[in-house]
Amino acid sequence: MSNIQHRNTVQEDPWSALKAYTTARIALGRTGTAIPLKEVLSFRLAHAHARDAVYSRLDINLLLEELHAFMLPVVQLHSSVAGRHEYLQRPDKGRKLDTGSIEILQAQPAAFRQKDVVIIVADGLSATAMNLHTAPLLNHLLPLLKTAGLSIAPVCLVEQGRVAIGDEIGELIQAKATLMLIGERPGLSAADSMGAYITFQPRTGNTDEVRNCISNIRQDGLQYIPAAGKICYLLQEALRLRLSGVELKDNYKDPSLLTG
């Protein structure tokens, strides 16, 4: 009996102390030659959360209520995708607006056009992330954009959208730059991660090298205040230098990390 008990004892990994600094799946330990049952169940739970995030839906009523609180007009749009299964199978359709959405943007008054930036909120691969993080991030970001003197177009709330749909939106309302806030592909340690993509001079057919990406915006990743500061900095630099993507270098220094 004592031998059996000894073989089933969980042996800690030498890196266990590092688990205090990351949510990544490290230093799992072992039971004999196997992973401990606790870690196996944790992995399965994380996998379930990731699947749920992929199939989650934007809480439109909640987001509209939160966005209206910022005193900005909101436009509801939809990609050319018919449903979630098609969204996952046809990424190209998630990059294009449906006919009704195009007409909505074409009908926008002149006062809403040619702004410095249009903020686009899309579900992407984790609507869960957008339901959780959109309002808290904008609560810090919008005052920074106002202080920087940037004019803002109506916020575009997009269902079943991919990153590149921002190019068509920006082009239709003649925005100088787009800020796409979108749910990122869930990982097994983060099912609620938001990404921010900045594109200067949005045009249909743009490719990914013209975008700047700020990833992993969430409470256990890049938190709201430094994320907002970095986004504002990159938007200002994109408009000043008239470029974005690989040519726009991220030299932002988080004030909270500076000493002396």
Side-chain angles (χ1 to χ4, degrees), residues 149-171:
L150 302 187
S151 57
I152 304 174
V155 176
C156 294
L157 184 57
V158 185
E159 293 183 83
Q160 308 288 8
R162 299 270 181 175
V163 172
I165 204 168
D167 295 326
E168 186 176 16
I169 293 170
E171 186 174 27

Side-chain angles (χ1 to χ4, degrees), residues 195-209:
Y197 292 81
I198 293 168
T199 307
F200 178 74
Q201 213 166 47
R203 295 290 183 273
T204 301
N206 275 349
T207 46
D208 287 340
E209 85 281 353

